[in-house]
Amino acid sequence: MFPLQRNRRLRTNEAIRSLVRETSVSPQDFMCPMFVTEGKGIKSEVPSMPGVYRQSLDGTVKEVKELWALGVKAVNLYAKVSEDLKDNTGKEAWNKDGLMQQTIKAIKDAVPEMIVMPDVALDPYSIYGHDGIIENGQVVNDPTVDALTKMSISHAEAGADFIAPSDMMDGRILAIRKGLEENGFHNVGIMSYSAKYASAFYGPFRDALDSAPKDSTVEIPKDKRTYQMDFANRTEAIKEAIHDVEEGADIVMVKPGLCYLDVVREVKNAVNVPVAVYQVSGEYAMIKAASEKGWIDHDAVLLEQLTAIKRAGASIISTYFAKYAAKLLQQ
Ligand code: PBG
């Protein structure tokens, strides 16, 4: 009751504010998504993501070293393979000498302690740009899960620390966990993209990998709404996360970030594993574009968003700003 309680006392100066601050963000909260491409000496900027590059192995390894030095302890890898390697089965995804497998090995050789989490989904390998195999105009669940399991085992063989399935097929966590166990990869973890919404915020990512659902002569679903979640739903996210934990997920993820912080908090309260949040490509692009125009303060908005994601319940944030934010926080 006023004046016994004056809430502003705890806001008087930065010293007291910092003493009572409930949430802090640090480089070890971050994972950095990286786009790898074939070739040598290649570094091409993603047009809709200024400051984010598709890089060949050499540049990727160099950047991983920089990230490690800045205190960033995990990378999420996405491969951009050439069109001629794509088909409907996605079989290039489990080529033991494939781009992703080579990248995992190279990173683990160069920075053995870095936690390497390759993305598992078929879209970068699919001629149709879908996360699964197409039969009769549909993305078929169980044959896709078999493919994802092969893909995961090949990533583990290459040295991945965590498998990160982003495909949203049913039962894939159980199948991948079993596949890993049967092949002796007991300590390879799974970070499941559990509550992944069918979101318009993935646009710049699909530009980066050229992985958007394509126009095709055969009938294919025009979007990903038969597997990614309806953004109107909340309880469904909890169901997905609980199922994934039951199936063996070590970490569950909510994606995208900012529009889904209510979901993050609910999932956090519902499961007893760490929750990760992916601040996705469209979220990155919005901060870049608005700040380029001078309409928002880039660094202030960035720190506010990262803090809000943690406050909502994230233990880990996957962010294209990882390197930049790590530097910013050191100042
Ligand atoms: C594909 C995948 C996507 C993202 C991560 N993995 C795109 C999609 O589902 O179409 C998006 C990430 C981002 O936008 O930053 N399985």
Side-chain angles (χ1 to χ4, degrees), residues 33 35 49 77-78 119-124 129-131 164-168 193 196-206 209 211-213 224 227-228 253 255-256 278-284 318 320:
F35 300 119
M49 301 179 75
L77 302 178
Y78 303 91
D119 181 61
V120 165
L122 296 186
D123 49 326
H130 272 290
D131 290 28
S166 69
D167 55 285
M168 291 299 280
Y193 290 64
K196 176 170 175 180
Y197 286 88
S199 169
F201 285 96
Y202 307 149
F205 175 98
R206 293 177 188 168
L209 291 191
S211 64
K224 299 190 175 184
Y227 43 105
Q228 298 179 351
M253 181 187 266
K255 175 184 174 191
Y278 197 152
Q279 183 191 46
V280 301
S281 56
E283 298 178 76
Y284 179 88
S318 183
Y320 298 96

Side-chain angles (χ1 to χ4, degrees), residues 41-111:
I42 293 174
K43 184 170 182 179
S44 74
E45 193 169 45
V46 181
S48 46
M49 301 179 75
V52 173
Y53 301 86
R54 290 168 289 220
Q55 295 189 81
S56 49
L57 247 177
D58 42 347
T60 303
V61 167
K62 187 167 161 265
E63 183 148 11
V64 170
K65 288 182 183 161
E66 290 167 17
L67 285 163
W68 184 261
L70 287 164
V72 177
K73 307 268 170 42
V75 289
N76 310 120
L77 302 178
Y78 303 91
K80 182 181 186 334
V81 301
S82 58
E83 286 300 313
D84 55 301
L85 294 174
K86 299 183 183 182
D87 63 15
N88 184 30
T89 68
K91 65 178 183 312
E92 176 61 17
W94 55 93
N95 173 359
K96 69 177 177 32
D97 301 316
L99 175 62
M100 180 63 96
Q101 288 77 0
Q102 287 177 32
T103 307
I104 297 166
K105 277 190 202 116
I107 294 175
K108 291 305 290 184
D109 282 349
V111 191

